[in-house]
Amino acid sequence: MVKIWKMKSVSEFKPDPYLATAINCMMWAFYGLPFVKPDNILLITNNGVGLVMELVYVIIFFIFGTSHVRKKITIAMVIEVMIMAVVVFCTLYFLHTTKQRSMLVGILCIIFNVIMYASPLTAMRLVIKKKSVKCMPFYLSLADFMNGAIWIVYACLQFDIYILIPNVLGCLSGTIQLIIYALYYKTTNWEDDDEDRENNNSNAEIEPSQA
């Protein structure tokens, strides 16, 4: 995000992981509520903070993205809010026990969690094609791996299958991303970043003089 802010452009970065994580945080925060799954305060706090962070990231993408990226973000966010509204309504209106509610929301959490973990893989095709990892942030892949591993431990302590399944897959997804990053790191031309930075700096100097 710092790089995007400095370049004033999203370049080849994709908003997919942040959009996927946003709805994932919404779903898990709802799952952790007392009337859905009692005694899960960590899920609420963790995913509440996560949702705020993801919304900030999405806003940054919206500000510096092209019209196509902005359209994609707008459509995705509208769909996500609609999905959450339907899930909340159906859960509270049709299901009347925490066991029923946690099962339905838990299954949905698995689905969206898997989508979140797989979303950085959308950049893999571009990485392999260009033999460059610049469009696949290393720390995002590392965070996927570590996040999955830690939640696996938590799921085992809580005996919660709904937390365990997606995070096993997430840990595997993070491992694949790190392997891809290691394979194509040496073939990445990092000099382009320096050129882009120089161009942005020169443009910034020219604009005030023209004004």
Side-chain angles (χ1 to χ4, degrees):
M1 292 303 151
V2 172
K3 186 175 181 179
I4 290 173
W5 190 275
K6 287 181 177 179
M7 292 193 306
K8 308 298 182 186
S9 169
V10 298
S11 186
E12 294 181 340
F13 292 115
K14 293 179 176 291
D16 303 15
Y18 312 102
L19 292 169
T21 307
I23 190 170
N24 178 70
C25 288
M26 290 183 213
M27 199 65 68
W28 278 113
F30 182 57
Y31 178 81
L33 292 174
F35 48 80
V36 177
K37 182 72 173 179
D39 304 320
N40 261 305
I41 188 66
L42 285 177
L43 284 177
I44 301 173
T45 54
N46 177 68
N47 288 285
V49 173
L51 177 58
V52 173
M53 293 176 67
E54 296 308 319
L55 291 177
V56 171
Y57 299 156
V58 169
I59 290 171
I60 291 174
F61 259 91
F62 190 86
I63 292 173
F64 296 111
T66 61
S67 58
H68 172 72
V69 171
R70 292 181 179 181
K71 182 179 179 181
K72 180 179 182 179
I73 290 173
T74 303
I75 293 173
M77 289 304 299
V78 169
I79 292 174
E80 289 181 7
V81 171
M82 290 174 63
I83 290 174
M84 277 307 305
V86 171
V87 171
V88 171
F89 174 77
C90 291
T91 301
L92 299 181
Y93 188 79
F94 296 109
L95 305 177
H96 305 291
T97 65
T98 55
K99 184 178 180 180
Q100 292 175 326
R101 291 172 177 176
S102 62
M103 185 175 76
L104 172 64
V105 181
I107 291 172
L108 292 173
C109 283
I110 290 176
I111 294 171
F112 287 109
N113 212 352
V114 171
I115 292 173
M116 180 199 74
Y117 279 127
S119 57
L121 298 177
T122 57
M124 272 192 11
R125 182 179 177 183
L126 190 60
V127 169
I128 296 172
K129 181 180 179 181
K130 292 191 172 185
K131 299 186 185 303
S132 171
V133 296
K134 286 194 293 185
C135 62
M136 192 170 77
F138 169 75
Y139 290 110
L140 182 61
S141 300
L142 180 62
D144 270 359
F145 172 76
M146 295 181 66
N147 184 65
I150 293 171
W151 279 109
I152 287 173
V153 176
Y154 179 81
C156 291
L157 294 174
Q158 291 284 324
F159 303 105
D160 195 323
I161 191 69
Y162 300 119
I163 299 177
L164 180 62
I165 293 175
N167 284 291
V168 168
L169 297 175
C171 196
L172 178 61
S173 169
T175 302
I176 294 172
Q177 292 171 50
L178 291 173
I179 291 173
I180 292 293
Y181 195 95
L183 289 174
Y184 290 99
Y185 180 82
K186 290 185 177 180
T187 60
T188 301
N189 183 11
W190 298 105
E191 293 179 0
D192 290 346
D193 283 354
D194 296 331
E195 293 178 4
D196 290 340
R197 198 175 293 109
E198 289 177 3
N199 290 334
N200 287 329
N201 290 337
S202 62
N203 289 337
E205 292 173 358
I206 293 173
E207 287 176 2
S209 63
Q210 289 177 339

